[in-house]
């Protein structure tokens, strides 16, 4: 097998702690089948862009999906990881990367997911409902928001004194930052098999 790795683009919209977990996992040798070569954002203010720069990873900001598709082609991207990317991709992009886009969602799908359910809102809804267990899910992206095949899930306890912020932090620490690098490596390994 040749050594060519799966070329990964991570899309972000905000703080980028999940991007950080991916970059740390790569550095620690827990992501070896793929290489994060590009970070893209719809938000020029995203702190995630600073994290990319600190790790020497190229980044770009886009407003139009046509520009995104051009850049993905130019950089020969094989796989896309949505790490706190809060826009819904159009069928155009999804079809171009079918089976090669994964997303992290901060709840146990099919709970607290779908259009409009993202970021802190997810945890507000979980607390409002009164669930005692929540968690995170990594799934393939298809044309239904949060509706693609589930790759991995991890449960996290909800505590009586939780606020949306404390719950978000626990779900990130105990589930998201572990699951996303693991799933990225697993999917990158599969894509790499097809590449080499
Ligand atoms: C994360 O909790 C991620 O799971 C969530 O946004 C946050 C981004 O944080 N994504 C969604 O809600 C997608 N539906 P980060 O920028 O620090 O990684």
């Amino acid at each position: 097998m040749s050594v060519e790795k799966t070329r990964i683009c991570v899309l972000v919209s905000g703080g980028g702690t999940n991007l950080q977990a991916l970059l740390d996992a790569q550095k620690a040798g827990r992501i070896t089948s793929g290489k994060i070569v590009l970070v893209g954002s719809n938000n020029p203010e995203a702190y995630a862009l600073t994290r990319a720069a600190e790790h020497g990873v190229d980044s770009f900001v886009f407003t139009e999906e046509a520009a995104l598709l051009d850049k993905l082609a130019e950089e020969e991207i094989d796989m896309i990881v949505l790490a706190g990317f809060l826009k819904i991709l159009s069928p155009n992009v999804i079809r171009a990367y079918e089976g090669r886009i994964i997303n992290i969602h901060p709840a146990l799908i099919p709970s607290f997911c779908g259009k409009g359910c993202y970021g802190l809102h997810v945890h507000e809804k979980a607390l409002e409902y009164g669930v005692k267990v929540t968690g995170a899910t990594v799934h393939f992206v298809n044309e239904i928001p949060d509706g693609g095949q589930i790759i991995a899930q991890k449960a996290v306890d909800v505590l009586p004194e939780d606020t949306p912020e404390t719950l978000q932090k626990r779900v990130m620490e105990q589930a998201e930052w572990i699951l996303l690098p693991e799933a990225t490596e697993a999917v990158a390994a599969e894509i790499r098999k097809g590449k080499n």
Side-chain angles (χ1 to χ4, degrees):
M1 189 166 106
S2 106
V3 290
E4 206 184 322
K5 293 189 179 195
T6 297
R7 292 174 63 80
I8 301 171
C9 172
V10 183
L11 296 182
V12 294
S13 298
T17 64
N18 278 286
L19 169 67
Q20 188 68 53
L22 289 167
L23 292 167
D24 291 348
Q26 181 168 280
K27 206 167 170 192
R30 286 182 283 116
I31 294 178
T32 56
S33 302
K35 186 170 183 341
I36 299 162
V37 292
L38 189 63
V39 170
S41 181
N42 59 321
N43 172 16
E45 308 287 318
Y47 183 67
L49 294 169
T50 305
R51 297 182 193 267
E54 280 170 2
H55 280 73
V57 177
D58 283 348
S59 67
F60 71 109
V61 175
F62 61 95
T63 43
E64 303 280 321
E65 274 195 356
L68 169 64
L69 280 170
D70 281 352
K71 186 77 178 172
L72 295 173
E74 194 182 304
E75 297 290 333
E76 299 181 339
I77 297 302
D78 301 305
M79 173 180 174
I80 302 171
V81 178
L82 307 185
F85 182 65
L86 303 181
K87 267 189 83 134
I88 292 180
L89 292 171
S90 77
N92 234 359
V93 179
I94 294 171
R95 282 189 208 127
Y97 280 86
E98 209 182 336
R100 296 185 295 146
I101 312 179
I102 68 171
N103 177 49
I104 178 97
H105 183 73
L108 294 174
I109 290 175
S111 290
F112 314 117
C113 66
K115 207 162 181 274
C117 205
Y118 59 87
L120 207 56
H121 301 306
V122 179
H123 305 292
E124 283 164 5
K125 288 190 176 166
L127 289 176
E128 250 167 55
Y129 201 96
V131 291
K132 303 300 177 207
V133 174
T134 184
T137 303
V138 182
H139 62 93
F140 284 108
V141 172
N142 67 8
E143 292 173 25
I144 304 162
D146 297 324
Q149 189 197 332
I150 291 174
I151 300 166
Q153 291 189 301
K154 195 164 187 293
V156 174
D157 285 339
V158 178
L159 301 182
E161 64 274 20
D162 265 333
T163 63
E165 289 79 8
T166 61
L167 185 55
Q168 179 180 52
K169 185 164 181 275
R170 188 174 323 103
V171 169
M172 283 176 160
E173 287 172 354
Q174 295 185 5
E176 296 188 47
W177 300 341
I178 301 163
L179 279 191
L180 189 60
E182 282 177 4
T184 299
E185 170 58 20
V187 174
E190 280 306 307
I191 294 173
R192 188 187 194 189
K193 279 188 206 160
K195 230 172 109 94
N196 291 289

